[in-house]
């Protein structure tokens, strides 16, 4: 049977008294403790005397005009040092969570699309701190303290409560120099057989993922046997190889929108080679739904993606037509590594 505690045996200690004691114990000086706490020296002295009276223990003693901790004081100081360090760290973390916007997205999207644009956003919003969490694994927003996530969603597997930001399009890309090579033209899908194919490969949920395999399937085109095949496990490395003229890869949009705009890569089959595999969606945690910083960032995000979409339609005008882009119907073939 539980026994009721006699509250008279456990005096209620004031937090202010403990703060005063801790400051005095840290400096071994009532004067310095008063400066730290922005109170008078007499207020610190009275607080510690009250604390000693409540504990029935002397906490300090004076030796040759210096202040020293007694054994009881040393024991209490070790406790307050640990407790106040924990409190201060927790308060700092909670305060930071109100001023730092945490954004989760996939690794390729973070490195190729989001990160290059963030300096412009930060300059326009100097009072906002950002935390980018790049991972291809799905996040529990509430548990991992994520304010919002930008995630790929297959066409037939839209996420509950998510808002579509932009279509996720894929199409062959290469460097302008490779496209202009008259000895190895790249005008038809069959011409891919004369080129080095660069493929992004990974394993998701025990299943093999291949950008080219999904694109061939979406376009209803028989896969070709390339001159050579280079496989990559990181999409940004694959894009760097494309920029160096190393072969033909599957471009992911909006990831490569800046490179297309700068004409450092090109789409040899234009809009006729575009397959839409799904979309990039926005998910906002319930805890962050009403934050002004979230609204500011989301408005900027949508404006950037709208601009990219308008420029894509200018670069590939046929994409406006109903037959320009094909869609993948099977959601299980389109997992989560975008």
């Amino acid at each position: 049977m539980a026994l009721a505690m006699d509250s008279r045996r456990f005096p209620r200690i004031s937090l202010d008294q403990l703060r005063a004691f801790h400051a005095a114990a840290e400096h071994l000086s009532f004067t310095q403790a008063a400066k730290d706490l922005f109170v008078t020296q007499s207020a610190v002295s009275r607080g510690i005397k009250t604390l000693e009276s409540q504990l029935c223990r002397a906490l300090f003693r004076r030796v040759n005009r210096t202040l020293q901790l007694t054994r009881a004081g040393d024991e209490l100081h070790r406790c307050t040092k640990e407790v106040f360090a924990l409190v201060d760290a927790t308060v700092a973390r909670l305060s930071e969570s109100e001023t730092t916007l945490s954004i989760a997205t996939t690794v390729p999207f973070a490195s190729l699309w989001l990160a290059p644009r963030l300096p412009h956003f930060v300059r326009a919003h100097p009072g906002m701190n950002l935390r980018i969490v790049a991972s291809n694994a799905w996040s529990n927003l509430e548990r991992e303290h994520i304010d919002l996530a930008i995630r790929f969603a297959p066409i037939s597997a839209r996420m509950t409560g998510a808002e579509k930001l932009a279509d996720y399009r894929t199409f062959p890309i290469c460097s302008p120099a490779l496209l202009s090579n008259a000895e190895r033209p790249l005008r038809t899908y069959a011409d891919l057989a004369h080129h080095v194919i660069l493929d992004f490969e990974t394993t998701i949920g025990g299943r093999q993922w291949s950008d080219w395999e999904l694109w061939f399937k979406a376009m209803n085109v028989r896969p070709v046997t390339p001159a050579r095949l280079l496989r990559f496990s990181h999409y940004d490395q694959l894009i760097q190889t494309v920029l160096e003229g190393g072969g033909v890869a599957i471009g992911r949009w909006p990831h490569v929108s800046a490179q297309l705009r700068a004409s450092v890569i090109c789409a040899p089959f234009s809009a006729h080679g575009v397959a839409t595999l799904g979309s990039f969606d926005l998910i906002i945690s319930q805890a962050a739904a009403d934050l002004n910083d979230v609204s500011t960032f989301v408005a900027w995000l949508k404006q950037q993606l709208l601009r990219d979409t308008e420029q894509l339609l200018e670069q590939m005008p046929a994409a406006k037509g109903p037959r320009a882009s094909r869609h993948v119907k099977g959601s299980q073939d389109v997992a989560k590594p975008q």
Side-chain angles (χ1 to χ4, degrees), residues 25-53:
E26 285 286 292
H27 299 291
L28 292 178
S29 167
F30 286 4
T31 302
Q32 189 59 48
K35 291 180 180 179
D36 284 0
L37 299 174
F38 300 99
V39 297
T40 63
Q41 179 180 354
S42 60
V44 172
S45 179
R46 284 196 304 272
I48 292 176
K49 284 183 178 178
T50 301
L51 183 61
E52 289 178 325
S53 176

Side-chain angles (χ1 to χ4, degrees), residues 36-99:
D36 284 0
L37 299 174
F38 300 99
V39 297
T40 63
Q41 179 180 354
S42 60
V44 172
S45 179
R46 284 196 304 272
I48 292 176
K49 284 183 178 178
T50 301
L51 183 61
E52 289 178 325
S53 176
Q54 290 177 315
L55 296 176
C56 300
R57 295 283 190 280
L59 301 174
F60 293 95
R61 62 171 173 265
R62 291 195 175 273
V63 178
N64 298 327
R65 304 178 65 179
T66 64
L67 200 63
Q68 293 182 355
L69 287 168
T70 64
R71 179 177 298 180
D74 183 63
E75 182 177 351
L76 182 60
H77 179 228
R78 288 198 301 271
C79 175
T80 58
K81 189 170 187 177
E82 181 178 348
V83 169
F84 284 127
L86 179 60
V87 170
D88 291 342
T90 301
V91 169
R93 180 179 59 81
L94 293 176
S95 299
E96 180 183 359
S97 68
E98 296 178 358
T99 58

Side-chain angles (χ1 to χ4, degrees), residues 239-259:
I239 293 300
Q240 187 59 43
T241 306
V242 172
L243 295 173
E244 298 296 331
V248 186
I250 292 298
R252 300 174 172 190
W253 190 94
H255 304 55
V256 297
S257 56
Q259 290 82 359

Side-chain angles (χ1 to χ4, degrees), residues 155-169:
I155 291 173
S156 56
R158 298 298 299 276
M159 293 171 283
T160 303
E163 177 185 357
K164 179 180 175 180
L165 291 172
D167 283 330
Y168 170 64
R169 299 176 169 102

